[in-house]
Amino acid sequence: MASFVQYPADHPFPIQNLPYGVFSTDGVASTRPGVAIGDFILDLDAVSRSEWFVDAGVEAEVFQKGTLDPLVASSPESWPLVRAFITRLLSPTSPLKANARAYLVPRETATMHLPITIGDYTDYYASYEHAYNCGVLIRGPENAIQPNWKHLPVAYHGRASSVVVSGTPFHRPTGQILDKVGDKQPIFAPCRRLDYELELAFIYGGAPTKLGSRLSPSEARKHIFGYTLMNDWSARDIQTWEYVPLGPFLSKNFCTTISPWIVSPEALEPFKTKQYDHDPKLLPYLDDPEGFGFDVPLTIEIKTPESGAYAHVSTSNTQHTYYTFAQMLAHHSATGCPLRPSDMLGSGTLSAPRPDGLGSLLERSKMGREPFELDASRKDMTFLRDGDSVKFSAVVKAPGGWSVGFGECEGTVLPAVPFEG
Amino acid sequence: MASFVQYPADHPFPIQNLPYGVFSTDGVASTRPGVAIGDFILDLDAVSRSEWFVDAGVEAEVFQKGTLDPLVASSPESWPLVRAFITRLLSPTSPLKANARAYLVPRETATMHLPITIGDYTDYYASYEHAYNCGVLIRGPENAIQPNWKHLPVAYHGRASSVVVSGTPFHRPTGQILDKVGDKQPIFAPCRRLDYELELAFIYGGAPTKLGSRLSPSEARKHIFGYTLMNDWSARDIQTWEYVPLGPFLSKNFCTTISPWIVSPEALEPFKTKQYDHDPKLLPYLDDPEGFGFDVPLTIEIKTPESGAYAHVSTSNTQHTYYTFAQMLAHHSATGCPLRPSDMLGSGTLSAPRPDGLGSLLERSKMGREPFELDASRKDMTFLRDGDSVKFSAVVKAPGGWSVGFGECEGTVLPAVPFEG
C-alpha cells in the first residue's frame, strides 16, 4: 500500500500508520485534528469541509471541534471506517492529490497540542519486571512481589490537569522530603531524586459506561481508541515521604508528558505478540483468552546541557505488561466505575528483563546507589539534574517492510521555582 | 435581613444562606443554575434573561450554560457581587416580588443535578480523630499516627467520573476480596464491608493555576468557591486487598455522593472557629495564621429497609480537620500541580473525638468486631446491607437567629450486579 505523499521506506509515519494528533499553525488561532503522513499532517478539519468528505464513517462536525474528543467518543465501529476513508484519501489515485496543498500541512510548521481533553487519568503498575525490580530495591528479592500483584493490575488515580504534550518543559518540583535517612522532621526543598517512568498510555473511547456496569476484557478491548507514549515524571524522595498510606500524590502530579500522536490498534496489528502466562490463574472476570501484547521497542535517551546531544540509556518494549490492556480496563470497571471517552490509562513503567532495558532511573541507578556513565558529560548519572532532557521514542519495522512510529515524548527539567516564604 | 419569600425562622435556606445548585423541571429539557431560598429555587437562568439582570457582577451568559461551571470559573472578586445582587433580588423591596412566579420554582417540583463538571477530584485524610481511630484499629495506639501525618495533609487522587448527586442509588461493588483472613487466593465477590465516609468537600474556583505555580494558604483561600456534603462510599475489604502499595482504587471509585447545594464561604462566616494547634510546627509553605475552621454539626442517619425510617448514628462536625482547607489547597499546589475551576476536594472522613461522633462504620463498629444497635430493625449493625440508605445532613443556627443548611447527601445500596463469567 502506497500514498501519493512521498516518504522514505523506513519513515515512521507511512500510510500504514496514520496516527491522530491535534495541531495549529501560525496565523490560525484554532487547533485542528489531523493525521500524520510522511512529513506532513493531513488537516482533517479542512478535509471535513471539502467536497472530498464522502463515506467518512462519521459526520463532518466530528473533525470541527478542535480536538479528537468527538472522534474518540464516536462508536468504535466507526473508527475503522474513518481509517479506511483517510487511507483512500491518501492513496495514489486520490482526488486530493491535485489539491494537496490545501489539506497537507508540513509537520515542521505545525505546533502540536494535547490531542484529547483527558477526563480521568489512571496509572497502572503492570510491568512484572518493574514491580520486581522496585520490590527488590525496597524489600529484597524474597518479598519483591507483593501478595496482590499477580491477582490484579494494581493502579492508582492520577491527575489529569498536569498532563502536558511532548516538548513542554517543567520546573523541578519542590516538596516535603527528608534531608537525611531517619530524620523525623521534613524539609521543604527541591526534589533530589527526580526520575522518569517509561510508559505506554491508552485511550478509552466510544460510549461511556454507566455507574455499576462492568466490561469483560473482550468488550473492553473494543473501547481502546489508541496508544501514546507517556512519561510519568516522578519525584522519588517526595513519594517516599508522602505515600503512606494512600499512595503517590504530589510526587506524580507536577507533570506527566505524552507524545502528540495516538496510534490506532489497527496500525499495531502486525506487532501483536503472546500475552504473559498467568500463574496463579487469574479470576474469571479477567479471563482474556484472545489477549495479546505488542512487540514494540521503546527507547529512552537523555540529553545533558553540557553535551547537547541525546545519549541512549535503555531500550524496553511495550510487551512488558503482565496484564493485557483489555484486562486493565476490565478490572477498572469491575466495581462499576464509569469509564468515559478520552479517559487516559497508563501501563506503569515498562522495564525489560535486561540491565539495558530498565524504564526508570530508580532501577537503572539502584536507587542512586550505583551511578552509571551516560556519556562523556555525565559519568556519574543517578537522577535528573536541571537542564536535562529526556526523550522516549518508538519505531518498529513491520514484516511487510514499512515502519510504525509513535513520535516522541520529550521534556526538559527547569530549575525549581524558589520558595519565598 | 428578610426576603419577600416566606419561610419559618429556622428554615435551612434563608436569605443569609443562598446555596447554589443546578436543577431541572418536568417538561424543560435543559438544566439551569439556581439558588435555594425557602422552599423555592430562584432560577438564575431565567433571571439572567430578564430586565432585572442589572449590576449582577458577571455577564448574563454565566447563568445560561446549564451548570455552575461558568460562575465557578469567574473571578473570585465577582462572587460577592453576585451574592449581593441575588440578595437584593430576594429582598422585601425587590421588583421581582410582583413577578415571582416566573423566577421561583417550588423546590419539590425540581430535580437536582450535579452542580459542576468536576475536572479532578482529590480526597484528603485530614481529620486527626479519624486517622487516629483507623491507626489504632490497624496498628494499635502506639503507632496510630504515621510519621508524615502531622507534617502534610495526606491525600490521594479520586475518580471524578463516579461522583453522583444525592439520591442516586448504586450497586454494592463486586471485587477482589479475601474470603478468610490469611487466604492467599482472592475471590471475586460482592463487598462484605461496605461503608460510608462523612466528608465536607470544597470547590476550587477562579482562574486555573499554571503548571509549576504555587499558592500560599492565604492566596488559596480566595479560590474556594464553596462547600458541599460528601459521602466517600468505601469498600473496606476490597481496599485492604488492593491498596498496597499505591493506595485505594476500585474500593473508592464505584460511587461518591455529594449534596446538590454548594454553600458559599460568606454564608459560613458566622460559624468560623479556631483552627487546630499544630505541634510540631508546620513548614512555612503551609503557614496560615489567618486560618480557621467552621463549627457546623454534621449528622449521619441510616434507614434499613425493615424499618423504613431514618435512625441517628453520629453527629460530627466540620471543624475536625487538622489542616485548614486553605492549607490543603496550598499543599496541593506545592509541587506545581495545576488547579482548575470545578476541581473538587474532599476533607476525608470527619470524626469527632466522641463515640457518637464517628464518621464511618469502620470506626463505629471497630472494623465489624463490635456490632451496635441502630434501631429495633437492626440490633447488630456493622457494615451496610442491601437496601440500606445513608443520609448526611447539616443545619447550623447562627448567633443572629437564622439557620444555614447544606441540604442532604443521601444514597441507597442496591444489590450487587451478578457476575456471569
Side-chain angles (χ1 to χ4, degrees):
Chain A
M1 192 161 41
S3 170
F4 72 83
V5 179
Q6 300 296 309
Y7 46 78
D10 61 349
H11 198 286
F13 299 141
I15 194 167
Q16 291 87 352
N17 188 354
L18 301 180
Y20 291 106
V22 168
F23 71 101
S24 64
T25 45
D26 282 354
V28 182
S30 58
T31 59
R32 291 106 79 193
V35 159
I37 178 75
D39 291 335
F40 294 86
I41 301 170
L42 178 67
D43 182 339
L44 293 172
D45 184 302
V47 165
S48 76
R49 298 171 197 275
S50 77
E51 62 181 299
W52 320 117
F53 195 78
V54 181
D55 291 336
V58 292
E59 300 296 312
E61 62 181 18
V62 161
F63 296 115
Q64 297 171 6
K65 306 292 184 190
T67 78
L68 286 170
D69 297 327
L71 180 62
V72 173
S74 299
S75 159
E77 281 82 47
S78 71
W79 301 336
L81 303 178
V82 174
R83 184 174 168 85
F85 163 71
I86 294 169
T87 302
R88 287 197 303 276
L89 216 57
L90 292 170
S91 73
T93 58
S94 169
L96 209 70
K97 189 173 174 181
N99 302 276
R101 282 176 180 239
Y103 304 101
L104 288 171
V105 175
R107 202 146 45 78
E108 63 184 13
T109 68
T111 302
M112 300 307 296
H113 301 267
L114 271 187
I116 53 170
T117 312
I118 299 163
D120 278 298
Y121 152 46
T122 296
D123 200 19
Y124 291 85
Y125 183 52
S127 157
Y128 178 83
E129 289 72 16
H130 173 67
Y132 178 79
N133 293 338
C134 293
V136 169
L137 289 168
I138 297 167
R139 288 177 301 277
E142 296 295 304
N143 303 301
I145 295 293
Q146 286 171 310
N148 59 5
W149 198 92
K150 284 195 165 183
H151 294 283
L152 54 81
V154 170
Y156 67 99
H157 299 119
R159 178 87 187 174
S161 74
S162 52
V163 179
V164 301
V165 74
S166 179
T168 310
F170 66 95
H171 293 279
R172 174 180 299 274
T174 300
Q176 289 198 18
I177 61 174
L178 296 183
D179 188 36
K180 296 185 301 296
V181 177
D183 276 5
K184 293 206 181 333
Q185 170 66 43
I187 59 173
F188 188 65
C191 168
R192 298 170 183 176
R193 297 189 158 207
L194 184 61
D195 201 354
Y196 52 76
E197 293 198 337
L198 173 69
E199 304 200 19
L200 190 71
F202 60 107
I203 313 297
Y204 177 93
T209 63
K210 290 202 175 70
L211 191 77
S213 79
R214 195 186 288 141
L215 297 176
S216 69
S218 65
E219 290 166 337
R221 183 156 34 241
K222 295 177 191 146
H223 284 281
I224 299 179
F225 176 78
Y227 300 85
T228 188
L229 300 177
M230 186 174 104
N231 188 339
D232 177 28
W233 304 93
S234 298
R236 302 295 181 195
D237 42 2
I238 296 174
Q239 185 175 351
T240 304
W241 172 241
E242 76 170 0
Y243 93 113
V244 175
L246 299 180
F249 181 51
L250 300 189
S251 54
K252 297 276 193 175
N253 70 12
F254 57 91
C255 188
T256 305
T257 306
I258 62 172
S259 56
W261 299 106
I262 301 179
V263 179
S264 71
E266 287 165 291
L268 296 176
E269 277 285 325
F271 314 106
K272 274 185 180 176
T273 186
K274 199 174 157 299
Q275 63 177 311
Y276 274 60
D277 291 324
H278 296 109
D279 178 22
K281 203 167 171 305
L282 297 178
L283 284 165
Y285 82 100
L286 291 175
D287 258 356
D288 190 15
E290 278 83 49
F292 50 83
F294 294 118
D295 180 5
V296 177
L298 302 167
T299 62
I300 303 174
E301 296 169 285
I302 299 178
K303 181 173 72 180
T304 71
E306 295 76 25
S307 96
Y310 273 105
H312 179 265
V313 182
S314 289
T315 298
S316 184
N317 195 294
T318 56
Q319 73 183 281
H320 294 299
T321 63
Y322 185 78
Y323 298 91
T324 67
F325 295 106
Q327 285 172 328
M328 295 182 213
L329 258 185
H331 180 68
H332 207 313
S333 75
T335 53
C337 175
L339 302 169
R340 299 184 295 192
S342 294
D343 283 347
M344 185 174 85
L345 307 98
S347 61
T349 310
L350 293 166
S351 287
R354 292 177 279 104
D356 61 350
L358 303 171
S360 68
L361 288 171
L362 181 85
E363 293 165 86
R364 184 72 175 80
S365 74
K366 298 225 190 313
M367 291 179 109
R369 294 191 292 253
E370 296 186 11
F372 65 96
E373 179 168 342
L374 173 73
D375 60 15
S377 76
R378 183 75 52 81
K379 300 196 172 183
D380 56 347
M381 185 82 200
T382 52
F383 292 99
L384 297 171
R385 302 188 196 170
D386 290 350
D388 285 356
S389 301
V390 179
K391 182 166 77 177
F392 299 163
S393 50
V395 183
V396 58
K397 195 166 175 182
W402 66 85
S403 291
V404 168
F406 280 69
E408 292 174 353
C409 177
E410 188 183 17
T412 298
V413 181
L414 304 176
V417 177
F419 173 65
E420 290 151 13
Chain B
M1 190 163 39
S3 170
F4 72 82
V5 179
Q6 300 296 308
Y7 46 77
D10 62 348
H11 198 285
F13 298 141
I15 195 166
Q16 290 88 355
N17 188 354
L18 301 179
Y20 291 106
V22 167
F23 71 100
S24 64
T25 45
D26 283 353
V28 182
S30 58
T31 59
R32 292 105 80 194
V35 158
I37 178 73
D39 292 334
F40 294 86
I41 301 170
L42 178 67
D43 182 338
L44 291 171
D45 184 302
V47 164
S48 76
R49 298 172 196 273
S50 76
E51 62 182 300
W52 320 118
F53 195 78
V54 181
D55 291 336
V58 292
E59 298 297 311
E61 64 181 18
V62 162
F63 296 115
Q64 297 171 5
K65 305 292 183 190
T67 79
L68 286 169
D69 297 328
L71 179 63
V72 173
S74 299
S75 160
E77 281 81 46
S78 70
W79 301 336
L81 304 178
V82 174
R83 184 174 167 86
F85 163 70
I86 294 169
T87 303
R88 287 197 302 277
L89 217 56
L90 291 171
S91 73
T93 58
S94 167
L96 209 68
K97 189 174 174 180
N99 302 274
R101 281 175 181 240
Y103 304 100
L104 289 170
V105 175
R107 200 147 43 80
E108 61 184 11
T109 69
T111 301
M112 301 306 298
H113 300 267
L114 272 187
I116 53 171
T117 311
I118 299 163
D120 279 298
Y121 151 47
T122 296
D123 200 20
Y124 290 85
Y125 185 52
S127 156
Y128 177 83
E129 289 73 16
H130 173 67
Y132 179 79
N133 293 338
C134 293
V136 169
L137 288 169
I138 298 168
R139 290 177 301 277
E142 295 297 302
N143 302 301
I145 294 294
Q146 286 171 311
N148 60 5
W149 199 92
K150 284 194 164 184
H151 294 282
L152 54 81
V154 170
Y156 67 98
H157 299 119
R159 178 88 188 175
S161 74
S162 53
V163 179
V164 301
V165 74
S166 179
T168 308
F170 66 96
H171 292 279
R172 174 181 299 275
T174 299
Q176 290 198 19
I177 61 174
L178 296 182
D179 187 38
K180 296 184 301 296
V181 177
D183 277 4
K184 293 207 182 330
Q185 169 68 43
I187 59 173
F188 188 64
C191 167
R192 299 171 183 175
R193 297 190 158 206
L194 184 60
D195 200 355
Y196 52 77
E197 293 198 335
L198 172 70
E199 305 201 18
L200 190 71
F202 60 107
I203 313 297
Y204 177 92
T209 63
K210 289 202 176 70
L211 191 78
S213 78
R214 196 185 287 141
L215 297 176
S216 69
S218 65
E219 289 165 338
R221 184 157 31 243
K222 294 176 190 145
H223 283 280
I224 299 180
F225 176 78
Y227 300 86
T228 189
L229 300 177
M230 186 175 104
N231 188 340
D232 177 28
W233 304 94
S234 298
R236 301 298 179 194
D237 42 2
I238 297 174
Q239 186 175 351
T240 304
W241 173 241
E242 76 170 0
Y243 92 113
V244 174
L246 299 180
F249 180 50
L250 300 189
S251 54
K252 298 275 195 179
N253 70 12
F254 57 91
C255 189
T256 305
T257 306
I258 61 171
S259 56
W261 299 107
I262 301 178
V263 179
S264 71
E266 287 165 290
L268 296 176
E269 277 285 324
F271 314 107
K272 276 186 180 175
T273 186
K274 198 173 158 299
Q275 64 177 309
Y276 274 60
D277 291 325
H278 297 109
D279 178 22
K281 204 167 171 305
L282 297 178
L283 284 163
Y285 82 99
L286 291 173
D287 258 355
D288 189 16
E290 278 85 47
F292 50 83
F294 294 118
D295 180 3
V296 176
L298 302 168
T299 62
I300 303 174
E301 296 168 285
I302 299 178
K303 180 172 73 180
T304 70
E306 294 76 26
S307 96
Y310 273 105
H312 179 265
V313 181
S314 290
T315 298
S316 184
N317 195 295
T318 55
Q319 73 183 280
H320 295 298
T321 63
Y322 185 79
Y323 298 92
T324 68
F325 295 105
Q327 284 172 328
M328 295 182 215
L329 258 186
H331 180 67
H332 207 313
S333 76
T335 53
C337 174
L339 303 169
R340 300 184 295 192
S342 294
D343 283 347
M344 185 174 85
L345 308 98
S347 60
T349 310
L350 295 165
S351 289
R354 292 175 279 104
D356 61 349
L358 303 172
S360 67
L361 287 171
L362 181 85
E363 293 165 87
R364 184 71 174 81
S365 74
K366 299 227 191 313
M367 291 178 111
R369 294 193 291 254
E370 296 185 10
F372 65 95
E373 180 170 340
L374 174 72
D375 59 17
S377 76
R378 184 73 53 81
K379 299 195 173 184
D380 57 345
M381 185 82 201
T382 51
F383 291 99
L384 297 171
R385 301 188 196 169
D386 290 350
D388 285 355
S389 300
V390 178
K391 183 167 76 178
F392 299 163
S393 50
V395 183
V396 57
K397 196 167 174 182
W402 67 85
S403 292
V404 168
F406 280 70
E408 292 174 352
C409 178
E410 188 183 17
T412 298
V413 182
L414 304 176
V417 178
F419 173 64
E420 289 151 13

